[in-house]
Amino acid sequence: MSTRMLRLAALAVAGTLVVTGCANRGGSETASGANYPEKDLTLIVHAAAGGGSDLTARTLAKELESDLGRSIVVENRTGGGGRVGLTYLKDRPADGYSIGFIPVEVAMLGHQGADIKPDQYTILGQVMNAPATLSVPTNSPYQTLDDLLAAARKDPGTITVSNSGAGAIWEAATLALGEAAGVTFKPVPYDGGAPAVAAGVSGEVQAVMAGVSESAAAAGNNQLRILAVLAPERVSSLPDVPTGKEQGVDVVIGGWGLMGAPAGLPDEVKQRLAEAVNKAASSQAFKDVMTKAGNTPLATSPDEATQFTQSEYDRFGQIYG
């Protein structure tokens, strides 16, 4: 494991990582009037359909449609651990018709060589947190976290663990768990949590690191067995799954998500969208879906979310610097 990855893992063990363009920066004149929105919107998601980010985005989209009175088309642009979708979003016109689900990777990828930084987006609010989970296929010989760790100690670097992409949060969680337990896993990247879970279900990998909403669905279908949730305490949707700390591995790490748009959004449009996002994230329908999935629903202001994101960007800068 590289020195940089060791520092990443060590910081996650020491504390909680809570913890998922330049063109047309001024937006168009048609977006700044009182009649906004005058056409349908596109909501860009960096991860594949069926995962936790996609679930969050599509649930919010339904609520936003009711408030804005326009259809919202969810567009999944996957790849590069979030790089593809985040790059596409920041390079869209800042006219209010391209919005996106912005994951924790917005605070990580810029420190890994990508042209992605928080100030390239208009942040509209934080909407959720999601703890990490470690799972295995139901036919796996590993019944507990101790079983899996024992196998990893016996054959270092051979236990394959799928994740949401190279440099993304679930790869970081895999490294953090390995550092805390004194073992080395073999991370295997996919284009989001849903494909990572599918790889575990099909037996392509021996274990899966993913968000609780992604792993819980497969566990509910008896396709995965969740060995641990990497949260400060057990989550309500998985009351029988112990935390890592309960099993002697004290690591807490997870993802988070914002709603945003390209930087330079006109003030009137930003205000309208921020109000709509806050209303959607505060709705009982959204809260119910998030809570059932094991996530923590949030509805913060643009200022709060912007400050939080910058603080996370600075934190990851210390890790990767």
Side-chain angles (χ1 to χ4, degrees), residues 15-27:
T16 301
L17 292 181
V18 174
V19 152
T20 258
C22 297
N24 297 314
R25 281 292 149 258

mmCIF file with all atom_site columns, all heavy atoms in Angstrom, residues 15-27:
data_model
loop_
_atom_site.group_PDB
_atom_site.id
_atom_site.type_symbol
_atom_site.label_atom_id
_atom_site.label_alt_id
_atom_site.label_comp_id
_atom_site.label_asym_id
_atom_site.label_entity_id
_atom_site.label_seq_id
_atom_site.pdbx_PDB_ins_code
_atom_site.Cartn_x
_atom_site.Cartn_y
_atom_site.Cartn_z
_atom_site.occupancy
_atom_site.B_iso_or_equiv
_atom_site.pdbx_formal_charge
_atom_site.auth_seq_id
_atom_site.auth_comp_id
_atom_site.auth_asym_id
_atom_site.auth_atom_id
_atom_site.pdbx_PDB_model_num
ATOM 1  N N   . GLY A 1 15 ? -10.458 9.109  12.983  1.00 0.00 ? 15 GLY A N   1
ATOM 2  C CA  . GLY A 1 15 ? -11.674 9.904  13.134  1.00 0.00 ? 15 GLY A CA  1
ATOM 3  C C   . GLY A 1 15 ? -12.681 9.515  12.088  1.00 0.00 ? 15 GLY A C   1
ATOM 4  O O   . GLY A 1 15 ? -12.486 8.576  11.338  1.00 0.00 ? 15 GLY A O   1
ATOM 5  N N   . THR A 1 16 ? -13.752 10.230 12.022  1.00 0.00 ? 16 THR A N   1
ATOM 6  C CA  . THR A 1 16 ? -14.840 9.906  11.111  1.00 0.00 ? 16 THR A CA  1
ATOM 7  C C   . THR A 1 16 ? -14.722 10.711 9.843   1.00 0.00 ? 16 THR A C   1
ATOM 8  O O   . THR A 1 16 ? -14.637 11.919 9.885   1.00 0.00 ? 16 THR A O   1
ATOM 9  C CB  . THR A 1 16 ? -16.198 10.215 11.765  1.00 0.00 ? 16 THR A CB  1
ATOM 10 O OG1 . THR A 1 16 ? -16.303 9.443  12.944  1.00 0.00 ? 16 THR A OG1 1
ATOM 11 C CG2 . THR A 1 16 ? -17.347 9.858  10.832  1.00 0.00 ? 16 THR A CG2 1
ATOM 12 N N   . LEU A 1 17 ? -14.715 10.034 8.691   1.00 0.00 ? 17 LEU A N   1
ATOM 13 C CA  . LEU A 1 17 ? -14.792 10.704 7.398   1.00 0.00 ? 17 LEU A CA  1
ATOM 14 C C   . LEU A 1 17 ? -16.239 10.628 6.959   1.00 0.00 ? 17 LEU A C   1
ATOM 15 O O   . LEU A 1 17 ? -16.671 9.674  6.350   1.00 0.00 ? 17 LEU A O   1
ATOM 16 C CB  . LEU A 1 17 ? -13.896 10.003 6.374   1.00 0.00 ? 17 LEU A CB  1
ATOM 17 C CG  . LEU A 1 17 ? -12.396 10.100 6.595   1.00 0.00 ? 17 LEU A CG  1
ATOM 18 C CD1 . LEU A 1 17 ? -11.673 9.384  5.482   1.00 0.00 ? 17 LEU A CD1 1
ATOM 19 C CD2 . LEU A 1 17 ? -11.953 11.541 6.655   1.00 0.00 ? 17 LEU A CD2 1
ATOM 20 N N   . VAL A 1 18 ? -17.030 11.570 7.346   1.00 0.00 ? 18 VAL A N   1
ATOM 21 C CA  . VAL A 1 18 ? -18.448 11.557 7.017   1.00 0.00 ? 18 VAL A CA  1
ATOM 22 C C   . VAL A 1 18 ? -18.643 12.363 5.748   1.00 0.00 ? 18 VAL A C   1
ATOM 23 O O   . VAL A 1 18 ? -18.413 13.549 5.731   1.00 0.00 ? 18 VAL A O   1
ATOM 24 C CB  . VAL A 1 18 ? -19.283 12.133 8.137   1.00 0.00 ? 18 VAL A CB  1
ATOM 25 C CG1 . VAL A 1 18 ? -20.744 12.242 7.705   1.00 0.00 ? 18 VAL A CG1 1
ATOM 26 C CG2 . VAL A 1 18 ? -19.203 11.244 9.357   1.00 0.00 ? 18 VAL A CG2 1
ATOM 27 N N   . VAL A 1 19 ? -18.968 11.172 6.664   1.00 0.00 ? 19 VAL A N   1
ATOM 28 C CA  . VAL A 1 19 ? -19.258 10.619 6.102   1.00 0.00 ? 19 VAL A CA  1
ATOM 29 C C   . VAL A 1 19 ? -19.747 9.835  7.663   1.00 0.00 ? 19 VAL A C   1
ATOM 30 O O   . VAL A 1 19 ? -19.898 9.538  8.292   1.00 0.00 ? 19 VAL A O   1
ATOM 31 C CB  . VAL A 1 19 ? -18.662 9.803  5.123   1.00 0.00 ? 19 VAL A CB  1
ATOM 32 C CG1 . VAL A 1 19 ? -19.294 8.935  4.998   1.00 0.00 ? 19 VAL A CG1 1
ATOM 33 C CG2 . VAL A 1 19 ? -17.546 10.333 4.223   1.00 0.00 ? 19 VAL A CG2 1
ATOM 34 N N   . THR A 1 20 ? -20.366 11.245 -0.963  1.00 0.00 ? 20 THR A N   1
ATOM 35 C CA  . THR A 1 20 ? -20.646 10.119 -2.447  1.00 0.00 ? 20 THR A CA  1
ATOM 36 C C   . THR A 1 20 ? -20.189 10.733 -3.395  1.00 0.00 ? 20 THR A C   1
ATOM 37 O O   . THR A 1 20 ? -20.245 8.918  -0.313  1.00 0.00 ? 20 THR A O   1
ATOM 38 C CB  . THR A 1 20 ? -21.773 11.245 -2.427  1.00 0.00 ? 20 THR A CB  1
ATOM 39 O OG1 . THR A 1 20 ? -21.890 11.092 -2.351  1.00 0.00 ? 20 THR A OG1 1
ATOM 40 C CG2 . THR A 1 20 ? -22.563 9.960  -2.925  1.00 0.00 ? 20 THR A CG2 1
ATOM 41 N N   . GLY A 1 21 ? -15.771 23.448 -14.873 1.00 0.00 ? 21 GLY A N   1
ATOM 42 C CA  . GLY A 1 21 ? -15.970 23.930 -16.259 1.00 0.00 ? 21 GLY A CA  1
ATOM 43 C C   . GLY A 1 21 ? -15.949 25.459 -16.425 1.00 0.00 ? 21 GLY A C   1
ATOM 44 O O   . GLY A 1 21 ? -16.244 26.258 -15.551 1.00 0.00 ? 21 GLY A O   1
ATOM 45 N N   . CYS A 1 22 ? -15.683 25.735 -17.330 1.00 0.00 ? 22 CYS A N   1
ATOM 46 C CA  . CYS A 1 22 ? -15.533 27.168 -17.567 1.00 0.00 ? 22 CYS A CA  1
ATOM 47 C C   . CYS A 1 22 ? -16.550 27.741 -18.533 1.00 0.00 ? 22 CYS A C   1
ATOM 48 O O   . CYS A 1 22 ? -16.756 28.943 -18.572 1.00 0.00 ? 22 CYS A O   1
ATOM 49 C CB  . CYS A 1 22 ? -14.131 27.474 -18.122 1.00 0.00 ? 22 CYS A CB  1
ATOM 50 S SG  . CYS A 1 22 ? -12.807 27.048 -16.962 1.00 0.00 ? 22 CYS A SG  1
ATOM 51 N N   . ALA A 1 23 ? -17.142 26.893 -19.374 1.00 0.00 ? 23 ALA A N   1
ATOM 52 C CA  . ALA A 1 23 ? -18.025 27.444 -20.414 1.00 0.00 ? 23 ALA A CA  1
ATOM 53 C C   . ALA A 1 23 ? -19.325 27.928 -19.825 1.00 0.00 ? 23 ALA A C   1
ATOM 54 O O   . ALA A 1 23 ? -19.880 27.323 -18.915 1.00 0.00 ? 23 ALA A O   1
ATOM 55 C CB  . ALA A 1 23 ? -18.306 26.370 -21.469 1.00 0.00 ? 23 ALA A CB  1
ATOM 56 N N   . ASN A 1 24 ? -19.800 29.044 -20.341 1.00 0.00 ? 24 ASN A N   1
ATOM 57 C CA  . ASN A 1 24 ? -21.116 29.567 -19.988 1.00 0.00 ? 24 ASN A CA  1
ATOM 58 C C   . ASN A 1 24 ? -21.292 29.775 -18.492 1.00 0.00 ? 24 ASN A C   1
ATOM 59 O O   . ASN A 1 24 ? -22.335 29.468 -17.926 1.00 0.00 ? 24 ASN A O   1
ATOM 60 C CB  . ASN A 1 24 ? -22.212 28.626 -20.493 1.00 0.00 ? 24 ASN A CB  1
ATOM 61 C CG  . ASN A 1 24 ? -22.221 28.512 -21.997 1.00 0.00 ? 24 ASN A CG  1
ATOM 62 O OD1 . ASN A 1 24 ? -22.151 29.520 -22.708 1.00 0.00 ? 24 ASN A OD1 1
ATOM 63 N ND2 . ASN A 1 24 ? -22.277 27.289 -22.498 1.00 0.00 ? 24 ASN A ND2 1
ATOM 64 N N   . ARG A 1 25 ? -20.266 30.265 -17.821 1.00 0.00 ? 25 ARG A N   1
ATOM 65 C CA  . ARG A 1 25 ? -20.333 30.403 -16.378 1.00 0.00 ? 25 ARG A CA  1
ATOM 66 C C   . ARG A 1 25 ? -21.390 31.389 -15.921 1.00 0.00 ? 25 ARG A C   1
ATOM 67 O O   . ARG A 1 25 ? -21.847 31.337 -14.806 1.00 0.00 ? 25 ARG A O   1
ATOM 68 C CB  . ARG A 1 25 ? -18.953 30.823 -15.850 1.00 0.00 ? 25 ARG A CB  1
ATOM 69 C CG  . ARG A 1 25 ? -18.023 29.635 -15.779 1.00 0.00 ? 25 ARG A CG  1
ATOM 70 C CD  . ARG A 1 25 ? -18.501 28.657 -14.692 1.00 0.00 ? 25 ARG A CD  1
ATOM 71 N NE  . ARG A 1 25 ? -18.178 27.297 -15.014 1.00 0.00 ? 25 ARG A NE  1
ATOM 72 C CZ  . ARG A 1 25 ? -19.057 26.459 -15.486 1.00 0.00 ? 25 ARG A CZ  1
ATOM 73 N NH1 . ARG A 1 25 ? -20.263 26.807 -15.767 1.00 0.00 ? 25 ARG A NH1 1
ATOM 74 N NH2 . ARG A 1 25 ? -18.728 25.231 -15.692 1.00 0.00 ? 25 ARG A NH2 1
ATOM 75 N N   . GLY A 1 26 ? -21.798 32.290 -16.773 1.00 0.00 ? 26 GLY A N   1
ATOM 76 C CA  . GLY A 1 26 ? -22.778 33.279 -16.337 1.00 0.00 ? 26 GLY A CA  1
ATOM 77 C C   . GLY A 1 26 ? -24.202 32.838 -16.499 1.00 0.00 ? 26 GLY A C   1
ATOM 78 O O   . GLY A 1 26 ? -25.106 33.490 -16.020 1.00 0.00 ? 26 GLY A O   1
ATOM 79 N N   . GLY A 1 27 ? -24.425 31.721 -17.167 1.00 0.00 ? 27 GLY A N   1
ATOM 80 C CA  . GLY A 1 27 ? -25.781 31.245 -17.389 1.00 0.00 ? 27 GLY A CA  1
ATOM 81 C C   . GLY A 1 27 ? -26.432 32.014 -18.508 1.00 0.00 ? 27 GLY A C   1
ATOM 82 O O   . GLY A 1 27 ? -25.899 32.956 -19.064 1.00 0.00 ? 27 GLY A O   1
#
